[in-house]
Amino acid sequence: MKKTKLLFGMGILAVVGAVLVAADHIDAPGTTGNTADIADFYGFESPSNPGNTVFIVDLQTNVLEDLAYGTFDENVLTEINIDTNNDLIEDLVIQAIPRKDTMYFFGPAIPSTTGKSSEVMIGSPLGQVAISTESALTTTTESGISLFAGPRQDAFFFDFGQFNKVIGGTAPEGFLPAGEAVDTFDGANTMALVLEIPNSILGETTGTNVLGLKVYKTWVTTNRKQ
């Protein structure tokens, strides 16, 4: 099974110099408890270093489950796909896969095939980090790449109760304003993968956004071992 999350923004999938976000929580009944379900994908310029790009992938929100946090699935390979020549086909892939208490990252490397899952690129190791539990553990490699893997507070805000009233026709007032809405996801966690990488490693891009800024177009997929 392969699940894809595209990051939209005026036709642009990811931007260097701006923040673009794709959110999609519990998008079908079959995703409840699905460790391959993509909740959020963020791509933005590092606030502390404009020469770096940050990617964040949030998996499996636990809002409907009685869990402190979830776990990463060793049968699920997460891939961040990067288009550098503006043709909406991945030119580089960054992979992450867990083994016991460690998350291993590979790439960025040219995929052996495009448009579908690649084999784990063991010949292109990027780094590894201990999977966090109670405290946030990060690793910075000799190449200046920072890595994190573990539970984080779900950043998604959504009043699910009011949403049900609206679609059920029992809320003529519509959605509630800020301050009155109840965040259903407050206190929920996602399993997050965070990667900050120098743009010099990603290389040049010919993509531009509507403002004329150089961009990396990017999307994320999760791929379950069959």
Side-chain angles (χ1 to χ4, degrees), residues 24 68 75 99 107-108 111 136 157 170 199 220:
D24 185 20
N75 291 317
R99 287 294 181 265
F157 187 103
T170 61
N199 295 339
V220 63

Side-chain angles (χ1 to χ4, degrees), residues 103-105 126-130 137-141 145-149 194-196:
M103 184 66 67
Y104 294 88
F105 293 82
L126 184 62
Q128 63 191 64
V129 63
L137 304 175
T138 59
T139 291
T140 301
T141 70
I145 301 166
S146 297
L147 304 170
F148 170 85
V194 184
L195 168 75
E196 179 174 335

Side-chain angles (χ1 to χ4, degrees), residues 43-162:
F44 54 92
E45 179 183 284
S46 170
S48 60
N49 188 339
N52 289 359
T53 294
V54 179
F55 298 113
I56 302 175
V57 182
D58 286 341
L59 303 172
Q60 47 163 330
T61 183
N62 71 348
V63 67
L64 297 183
E65 301 178 44
D66 187 19
L67 298 172
Y69 49 83
T71 57
F72 290 110
D73 190 333
E74 293 193 9
N75 291 317
V76 174
L77 174 69
T78 301
E79 293 185 313
I80 299 172
N81 303 276
I82 303 167
D83 169 25
T84 62
N85 61 6
N86 209 30
D87 62 357
L88 301 183
I89 297 173
E90 65 270 31
D91 300 296
L92 297 172
V93 174
I94 297 173
Q95 299 178 327
I97 192 165
R99 287 294 181 265
K100 295 183 178 180
D101 58 356
T102 302
M103 184 66 67
Y104 294 88
F105 293 82
F106 301 91
I110 299 171
S112 57
T113 57
T114 59
K116 62 180 182 180
S117 174
S118 302
E119 297 294 326
V120 177
M121 299 181 294
I122 58 175
S124 301
L126 184 62
Q128 63 191 64
V129 63
I131 295 173
S132 296
T133 53
E134 298 300 325
S135 58
L137 304 175
T138 59
T139 291
T140 301
T141 70
E142 294 181 357
S143 301
I145 301 166
S146 297
L147 304 170
F148 170 85
R152 293 285 84 187
Q153 164 73 41
D154 195 330
F156 191 60
F157 187 103
F158 188 65
D159 190 336
F160 193 61
Q162 188 68 12

Side-chain angles (χ1 to χ4, degrees), residues 33-45:
N34 186 345
T35 52
D37 186 45
I38 303 166
D40 298 289
F41 180 39
Y42 305 84
F44 54 92
E45 179 183 284

Side-chain angles (χ1 to χ4, degrees), residues 181-194:
V182 176
D183 183 11
T184 305
F185 290 82
D186 184 27
N189 290 314
T190 61
M191 298 304 291
L193 299 170
V194 184

